[in-house]
Amino acid sequence: MCGIIGYAGHRPAVPVVVEGLRRLEYRGYDSAGTAFVRQGDLRVVRAKGKLAALEEKLAGEPVVTATCAMGHTRWATHGVPAERNAHPHLSNDGTLALVHNGIIENYQEIKEDLTARGYVFHSETDTEVLVNLIAERRKSEKDLRGAFAAALREAKGAYAVCLMCNDEPETVYAARMSAPLIFGLGTGENFVASDIPAFLPYTRQVVFLEDGEIVCATATNYETLRLEDLRPTTHVPQTILWDMQAAQKGGYRHFMLKEIFEQPRVITDGLTGRVNGDGDGALLPELDSLPVPERLHIVACGTSWHSGLWGRHLLEHWAHIPVQVEIASEFRYRESLLLRKDDMVLVISQSGETADTLAALRIAREQGATVLGLCNVVGSSIAREASSALYTQAGPEISVASTKAMCSQMLMLALMALYWSGRKDAGDASDTQTKDQRRYLIGLLESLPALLEAHLPGMHENARRLARKYADARNFFYLGRGHCFPLALEGALKLKELSYIHAEGYAAGEMKHGPIALIDSAFPTFALALDDALFPKAKSNIVEVQARQGKVIALANEGLDLAVDDHWVIPRLPAPLSAFAALPALQLFSYEMADYLGKDVDQPRNLAKSVTVE
Ligand code: M6R
């Protein structure tokens, strides 16, 4: 949700921290701040708005001598975006500064107690409460680490925090509980951050901190400890293999555009090592020791939920596994949930840190279910807590709007359907695909990168033209049927989150049950009408919209008998794999619309890349 970086080293620390924050800005960007010690004084500089505002403020500060600092880029949870609510927050005595990602659920209770003891609060944040609680515990604990741990043990909720103290100007303290925090080990310098790109130019050696762990770091030393009793923990550092190039714009105007255009590569990478030598089976060794599920529950949020909805069609059709798909925030509070023996739960999350999805995973595990985690971010909480983790290998996705992640999730879902189909086939099940059918489907998957590579530039042109034509629309319907319904949901989500145009994704057959009342000449429809068994039905729904003077863009294949305002032809593929061709068209339309309307494409208002709070 928010971005944190802490640095202890030999370089001027504030520029390192600001540069790290820039690479974390996708996590939140309504205010930013930094803390460092100068001549024994803990100095905090904060600004409302994007990082540039903080940089402007820092221009007037002599910061070069500090070699230890921390920073924060915020996505508001408590209190409006304002300088007083920006992090770091200082304790009343000015000796401690804290940055925080997450929510302290019992902060009101703690605040009342501290207020009674004479503490005063200048912000509406839970973070200011926590830093004062640490200050209070310093009075009874023998050292700062003891006070830090004592305060955190009292805090309920989710957090990743970083702490600095004016008495120890060369040390950063940090801790995590249900929010991401990674430690980076450099040479003569150490880092802690919410995400690896923050420090990747300096080190590839990382430790994924566990929930309930504290790290204390100076330039040349670090210790990890259990929050519970301050006993030391041990870790073997891991090496990050991807580089900054993968997390930079590479000549594209926005990360989102770059990530849309990366989809052919994402498919190639996703297939690498995942197809057997005969080309008729998927290799997913992560699943080899697990039974083929009798039923599968897919749980996810946002775009990942849409991938799950789409994947259901393949899992049911190709592998004959009954699938339920649910939004994680609903799943986690559904009291009557009864998982049956042999049921399996698949949680899907690009970031692997989404709070609701993580909570759903934990509930499913508590109920004894086998939980598979399909994630993009290696070492993320979901990947680590799942019974088995599968990685989408899409590389870092920086744009807040998810694009290539969905493509990679769809590919993995297709591979899972093929894999379980193969297992059932080997066990003589008759209700699944044959070897020949799997060979054909795998061949289609393998053809996707070249097909998309060839068509993406033309799709981009169409998207640009249509976005300009429809830029004055204030509402949009996205309609689809069958496997195109999740795509309609995704198209609408992309349009609303990027361009702030109201858009609804609907199952086309539901229109006549109410929503069609909204249609008039100013309310256009984006219809998915691909060449599959449901095309005649989709066409009827389009005609119904047109009968109410609604304008229609139809994403369709060549040669289909359709009379619409804009017939957008995409390459023909058999359903449901045609989704791989439709998805980039939907993404590009929203991208172009937002860019044309002058919106902040990579960092839309009110959003954050990784939603680590409820
Ligand atoms: O990291 P996750 O896949 O768990 O994230 C889920 C959603 O927060 C995410 O897909 C969100 O809906 C995006 N803004 C969509 O573009």
Side-chain angles (χ1 to χ4, degrees):
M1 192 57 73
C2 304
I4 291 177
I5 176 167
Y7 174 79
H10 51 81
R11 303 169 204 265
V14 175
V16 171
V17 159
V18 171
E19 194 200 320
L21 287 181
R22 177 154 295 108
R23 288 187 289 270
L24 291 179
E25 226 184 349
Y26 70 90
R27 299 181 64 85
Y29 34 80
D30 61 46
S31 54
T34 180
F36 52 95
V37 181
R38 195 181 62 211
Q39 291 164 354
D41 273 345
L42 192 52
R43 178 89 183 106
V44 165
V45 182
R46 309 182 293 184
K48 182 180 171 211
K50 292 202 171 183
L51 209 48
L54 176 67
E55 283 178 294
E56 240 172 69
K57 278 195 142 184
L58 282 168
E61 289 274 334
V63 295
V64 263
T65 50
T67 53
C68 185
M70 65 183 185
H72 186 268
T73 176
R74 178 171 187 254
W75 186 83
T77 54
H78 288 74
V80 294
E83 188 176 328
R84 71 176 183 287
N85 289 328
H87 300 212
H89 286 278
L90 277 173
S91 56
N92 279 188
D93 61 7
T95 61
L96 299 175
L98 187 77
V99 294
H100 165 214
N101 168 25
I103 292 180
I104 306 300
E105 285 163 4
N106 56 340
Y107 84 105
Q108 279 296 5
E109 233 172 283
I110 302 173
K111 191 173 182 175
E112 279 162 29
D113 183 54
L114 291 173
T115 307
R117 289 169 193 272
Y119 285 84
V120 288
F121 296 92
H122 310 282
S123 75
E124 291 112 67
T125 66
D126 48 353
T127 311
E128 194 186 8
V129 174
L130 186 56
V131 71
N132 280 302
L133 181 63
I134 302 168
E136 178 62 20
R137 293 296 166 259
R138 274 186 99 187
K139 295 176 185 165
S140 48
E141 294 290 328
K142 78 172 195 306
D143 54 19
L144 182 53
R145 70 179 61 185
F148 188 36
L152 290 176
R153 283 195 293 266
E154 288 172 53
K156 293 195 178 72
Y159 54 78
V161 285
C162 190
L163 176 76
M164 284 187 69
C165 173
N166 66 345
D167 298 340
E168 300 180 43
E170 304 302 329
T171 309
V172 285
Y173 291 83
R176 71 161 270 171
M177 185 66 79
S178 302
L181 197 66
I182 299 128
F183 181 71
L185 282 91
T187 309
E189 56 189 347
N190 286 314
F191 304 79
V192 64
S194 323
D195 202 356
I196 294 165
F199 54 69
L200 197 59
Y202 304 102
T203 181
R204 291 170 173 278
Q205 295 297 301
V206 304
V207 166
F208 294 103
L209 296 168
E210 299 288 342
D211 277 349
E213 238 181 343
I214 289 183
V215 61
C216 316
T218 61
T220 51
N221 200 10
Y222 79 97
E223 273 178 286
T224 54
L225 311 161
R226 287 190 344 180
L227 175 55
E228 204 186 324
D229 51 13
L230 292 178
R231 285 186 35 198
T233 55
T234 50
H235 291 272
V236 179
Q238 298 182 33
T239 307
I240 296 302
L241 297 174
W242 48 270
D243 56 21
M244 278 315 294
Q245 184 60 24
Q248 280 165 358
K249 282 188 204 159
Y252 286 90
R253 206 167 128 67
H254 295 101
F255 281 112
M256 181 180 177
L257 192 59
K258 172 187 173 239
E259 288 160 6
I260 293 171
F261 273 81
E262 277 175 354
Q263 290 174 113
R265 203 257 314 140
V266 162
I267 298 173
T268 306
D269 289 354
L271 285 171
T272 305
R274 298 284 194 196
V275 175
N276 70 12
D278 295 335
D280 59 11
L283 300 174
L284 295 177
E286 301 89 332
L287 303 182
D288 284 350
S289 60
L290 300 172
V292 178
E294 292 286 323
R295 287 195 313 167
L296 186 70
H297 301 261
I298 299 183
V299 185
C301 300
T303 292
S304 297
W305 174 60
H306 299 157
S307 296
L309 288 170
W310 179 83
R312 167 164 64 189
H313 291 269
L314 286 82
L315 289 155
E316 292 193 341
H317 185 54
W318 294 358
H320 282 248
I321 295 171
V323 178
Q324 286 185 1
V325 190
E326 206 166 343
I327 296 170
S329 54
E330 291 297 314
F331 177 94
R332 66 182 289 189
Y333 292 115
R334 211 149 53 74
E335 282 172 23
S336 61
L337 179 78
L338 283 176
L339 293 173
R340 294 200 309 227
K341 187 176 161 294
D342 297 331
D343 280 4
M344 209 178 262
V345 175
L346 169 65
V347 296
I348 307 178
S349 173
Q350 186 286 129
S351 61
E353 301 292 348
T354 300
D356 285 320
T357 314
L358 185 57
L361 174 154
R362 288 176 179 160
I363 289 165
R365 288 213 73 175
E366 271 162 28
Q367 296 202 9
T370 300
V371 184
L372 306 178
L374 179 57
C375 298
N376 191 35
V377 177
V378 176
S380 56
S381 301
I382 290 176
R384 286 184 294 148
E385 291 192 30
S387 323
S388 182
L390 292 147
Y391 287 114
T392 50
Q393 302 179 71
E397 190 180 63
I398 305 295
S399 169
V400 166
S402 192
T403 54
K404 64 174 178 173
M406 180 162 181
C407 173
S408 66
Q409 290 163 349
M410 285 165 40
L411 181 74
M412 283 304 290
L413 286 159
L415 287 170
M416 288 166 92
L418 289 164
Y419 169 84
W420 278 320
S421 158
R423 292 260 306 260
K424 287 179 93 168
D425 199 15
D428 285 337
S430 55
D431 59 348
T432 190
Q433 305 280 299
T434 62
K435 264 190 179 180
D436 284 346
Q437 285 168 320
R438 285 194 297 279
R439 183 176 293 110
Y440 166 69
L441 292 168
I442 287 171
L444 286 174
L445 289 175
E446 288 174 335
S447 73
L448 289 174
L451 185 91
L452 289 187
E453 214 55 270
H455 285 87
L456 274 168
M459 273 186 196
H460 191 191
E461 258 324 298
N462 274 333
R464 190 175 293 135
R465 182 178 55 78
L466 290 172
R468 279 154 178 68
K469 180 169 171 187
Y470 288 89
D472 60 354
R474 298 317 317 139
N475 300 287
F476 248 99
F477 266 126
Y478 279 71
L479 301 185
R481 279 175 171 266
H483 81 103
C484 285
F485 171 44
L487 294 177
L489 293 174
E490 176 62 7
L493 176 64
K494 285 282 115 30
L495 191 68
K496 65 186 130 193
E497 71 178 328
L498 290 165
S499 60
Y500 321 145
I501 293 171
H502 166 239
E504 288 196 52
Y506 248 90
E510 273 294 293
M511 279 294 277
K512 61 175 88 62
H513 298 288
I516 202 164
L518 292 167
I519 294 288
D520 62 21
S521 59
F523 198 133
T525 293
F526 198 125
L528 287 121
L530 303 177
D531 191 5
D532 56 34
L534 291 174
F535 173 72
K537 307 280 177 201
K539 186 176 165 186
S540 305
N541 298 133
I542 288 173
V543 171
E544 287 158 9
V545 167
Q546 290 173 317
R548 276 86 189 166
Q549 281 74 54
K551 301 221 172 5
V552 176
I553 302 174
L555 203 56
N557 301 116
E558 195 155 10
L560 287 178
D561 175 23
L562 259 186
V564 289
D565 300 276
D566 290 286
H567 185 158
W568 183 348
V569 174
I570 58 167
R572 184 179 260 101
L573 278 163
L577 296 185
S578 44
F580 284 97
L583 182 65
L586 296 167
Q587 296 165 342
L588 285 163
F589 179 70
S590 298
Y591 169 82
E592 280 299 328
M593 188 70 102
D595 193 34
Y596 185 60
L597 295 174
K599 307 299 182 206
D600 190 341
V601 173
D602 282 332
Q603 296 177 342
R605 71 183 181 202
N606 304 341
L607 299 183
K609 181 68 183 160
S610 168
V611 185
T612 54
V613 289
E614 244 192 288

